[in-house]
Amino acid sequence: MWNWIHRLASPKRFYHFAGSASRWFGIAALLFGLPGLYLALFNSPPDYQQGESVRIMYVHVPAAWLSMFVYVNMAAAATVGMVWRIKVASAVAHASAPIGAWFTFLALVTGSLWGKPMWGTWWIWDARLTSELILLFLYLGYIALQNAIEDRDTAARATAVLALVGVVNIPIIHYSVEWWNTLHQGATVTKLDRPSIHWSMLVPLLMMAISFTALYAAVVLRRVRCEILDREQRSGWVRELAGKS
Amino acid sequence: MTETSLSSALLATLRRDLLLAYRHRSQLANPLVFFTIVVTLFPLGISPDPVLLQTLAPGVVWVAALLAAMLSLEGMFRSDFDDGTLEQIVLSPHPLSLVVLSKVLAHWLISGLPLLFLAPLLALLLHMDPAVMGVLLATLALGTPVLSLVGAIGVALTVGLRRGGVLLSLLVLPLYIPVLIFAAGAVGNADAGLEVTGQLALLGALLALSVALAPLAAAAALRISLN
């Protein structure tokens, strides 16, 4: 197992592995996403209070989950890249940032669209919305720092420090904003003993969450492949690959 | 060469930074003038109504303090980076994080502490209740060191870049939000006659956490920037 992981750290092996893995994750995203969307949009009950607009949840909640998952994943990959000098891990962190920023943006937009019929306004300074907005700022800062440093390895290490600082800060920001103001409905899925959401809504929600996660994996692997090619453009195997096609 | 002890090295760093600041007194005043002007803009932009200003005052003073602290951050490492002093500091046998901590302390003494003396005056301009002044000063005393400490990480990351200024604010301001929330919240609560010890305790916790961790992160970032 360790041996396998160890060999995967070589850019060439990872390039080939990522190619097929990305394809499988893409297929998984479709397999869960299409039926998930069907169930969510056509075959799940409207909420007894919120009516049909509850269907926004099936995009909003997975996007919000992913926005946080991607940040933690990005920080973990960046740390692995910095501590063990594994360039593939740094590439994963690098490739994750824009995807995470888009998920955050998607969560904000769908939240705003959902807020209009529910709270009667596009934007409200609610705790979760605000911390999601701050998360977007953290992503933008990360991307800006990445773009500002020309040398790739320096950029990877500098952004790793920033990602770690961000990971320490996210819970602090989250709870400070929470105490500051909250209006948002409480979590309904993570109460493990008995979720207060009915299974006919839970099933499509979880399918969408799995689909979004698989989509993230597929896209990030694809981006990492491009970065490996760019990084290794002078090495023999890339030249061979380019000559072949 | 003789070995200097750690404490004398840290004291020397502190003394040097304070002396340098004293020799450039005009630069010392700039953040303070900026702080004053920003606070003055709010009554002009919103309304001179005393009741309204009184409710806005804690937030306005704190947002201005945040911006003023950010403006002065670059000075922490910039000139030392340009003239090569920073490389010598990194080469010294003493732990870099502790040297960074004494540089941060110097920065706070120069830019954070003066805000404490200026803030009561501005609070009066904004019709803040004089009874609240003590709480405002307490939040500034606990909060501004956090700004310097967290800011040090941002400066250390961007010091090698030619145009790091705007980027620095992008990196640092989101991290300042908890300080703003607890500090302005405490002053607001005091104004409403509510309990403030909770928020002050949280500010103290933020300070303890950043004293412990921020120098390490800033030292790591400096090493990367110098490469």
Side-chain angles (χ1 to χ4, degrees):
Chain A
M1 175 74 183
W2 276 116
N3 216 355
W4 182 77
I5 291 177
H6 195 74
R7 268 183 298 167
L8 210 54
S10 118
K12 182 180 173 185
R13 272 179 194 278
F14 194 85
Y15 178 82
H16 293 296
F17 163 78
S20 53
S22 171
R23 200 167 309 122
W24 286 112
F25 277 122
I27 292 169
L30 281 180
L31 277 183
F32 280 95
L34 291 178
L37 265 184
Y38 171 75
L39 285 179
L41 296 183
F42 301 105
N43 208 2
S44 65
D47 189 81
Y48 78 103
Q49 278 179 329
Q50 309 195 350
E52 300 292 339
S53 62
V54 75
R55 299 187 196 286
I56 297 172
M57 172 184 79
Y58 300 107
V59 176
H60 173 70
V61 172
W65 281 344
L66 260 283
S67 68
M68 286 174 265
F69 171 74
V70 172
Y71 197 95
V72 174
N73 199 41
M74 182 175 87
T79 313
V80 169
M82 184 167 74
V83 173
W84 288 287
R85 301 284 158 96
I86 297 174
K87 288 184 179 147
V88 171
S90 299
V92 170
H94 184 176
S96 293
I99 310 173
W102 276 115
F103 275 126
T104 316
F105 184 70
L106 184 64
L108 280 172
V109 169
T110 50
S112 169
L113 289 174
W114 198 2
K116 184 63 186 167
M118 287 306 104
W119 301 328
T121 170
W122 296 111
W123 179 261
I124 218 158
W125 288 98
D126 157 71
R128 294 225 201 147
L129 282 179
T130 312
S131 44
E132 197 73 3
L133 183 65
I134 298 168
L135 183 63
L136 182 64
F137 293 155
L138 289 177
Y139 271 120
L140 294 180
Y142 184 95
I143 295 171
L145 183 66
Q146 201 169 58
N147 292 338
I149 304 176
E150 271 170 31
D151 181 67
R152 209 191 292 264
D153 291 333
T154 313
R157 287 192 293 149
T159 50
V161 171
L162 185 67
L164 279 178
V165 173
V167 156
V168 172
N169 263 283
I170 282 177
I172 299 177
I173 293 175
H174 181 81
Y175 284 105
S176 66
V177 173
E178 193 100 332
W179 287 321
W180 169 65
N181 196 6
T182 194
L183 184 84
H184 209 283
Q185 51 185 298
T188 42
V189 178
T190 46
K191 286 186 278 177
L192 275 180
D193 48 342
R194 182 182 291 172
S196 55
I197 180 173
H198 192 256
W199 62 270
S200 61
M201 292 169 136
L202 185 63
V203 169
L205 180 61
L206 289 182
M207 284 177 82
M208 289 304 287
I210 294 172
S211 163
F212 272 38
T213 315
L215 179 70
Y216 159 66
V219 177
V220 86
L221 288 172
R222 229 144 246 261
R223 292 181 64 99
V224 169
R225 261 163 74 93
C226 294
E227 185 161 328
I228 288 176
L229 283 186
D230 190 34
R231 213 185 253 268
E232 306 280 320
Q233 50 183 301
R234 279 176 232 294
S235 66
W237 66 272
V238 176
R239 281 164 191 260
E240 214 171 281
L241 209 67
K244 216 164 52 182
S245 55
Chain B
M1 260 178 62
T2 53
E3 286 275 308
T4 45
S5 73
L6 177 60
S7 55
S8 64
L10 297 185
L11 269 179
T13 315
L14 184 64
R15 232 188 105 231
R16 172 179 170 275
D17 278 16
L18 291 180
L19 195 64
L20 273 173
Y22 181 69
R23 296 273 158 81
H24 297 94
R25 269 172 301 235
S26 62
Q27 285 179 21
L28 217 69
N30 287 349
L32 294 177
V33 178
F34 176 80
F35 184 51
T36 318
I37 293 178
V38 170
V39 170
T40 319
L41 292 179
F42 280 88
L44 295 174
I46 297 169
S47 140
D49 173 31
V51 180
L52 187 62
L53 283 180
Q54 197 183 350
T55 48
L56 290 178
V60 169
V61 170
W62 257 98
V63 168
L66 234 65
L67 295 175
M70 220 194 52
L71 262 196
S72 63
L73 277 180
E74 275 235 283
M76 206 186 302
F77 298 123
R78 167 65 63 188
S79 63
D80 287 349
F81 179 81
D82 288 341
D83 65 13
T85 315
L86 208 53
E87 288 185 347
Q88 301 304 318
I89 291 176
V90 171
L91 284 176
S92 87
H94 302 296
L96 182 57
S97 54
L98 291 179
V99 182
V100 166
L101 189 60
S102 66
K103 284 187 83 66
V104 171
L105 178 62
H107 174 263
W108 178 73
L109 289 173
I110 296 160
S111 65
L113 194 59
L115 294 187
L116 260 77
F117 294 104
L118 201 56
L121 194 68
L122 295 173
L124 280 182
L125 284 182
L126 295 172
H127 300 281
M128 199 186 264
D129 188 359
V132 184
M133 210 65 81
V135 177
L136 176 69
L137 288 180
T139 60
L140 281 171
L142 288 170
T144 47
V146 181
L147 304 185
S148 297
L149 283 161
V150 173
I153 305 172
V155 194
L157 282 172
T158 54
V159 74
L161 306 171
R162 220 166 304 138
R163 272 171 298 175
V166 184
L167 181 61
L168 177 63
S169 53
L170 206 62
L171 299 185
V172 164
L173 279 180
L175 302 177
Y176 281 175
I177 289 170
V179 179
L180 175 69
I181 289 176
F182 293 133
V187 183
N189 270 9
D191 206 33
L194 299 171
E195 189 62 36
V196 294
T197 41
Q199 270 121 334
L200 290 182
L202 281 165
L203 274 178
L206 286 181
L207 178 58
L209 189 70
S210 48
V211 164
L213 295 182
L216 293 173
L222 273 183
R223 287 218 167 83
I224 293 165
S225 283
L226 288 169
N227 211 7

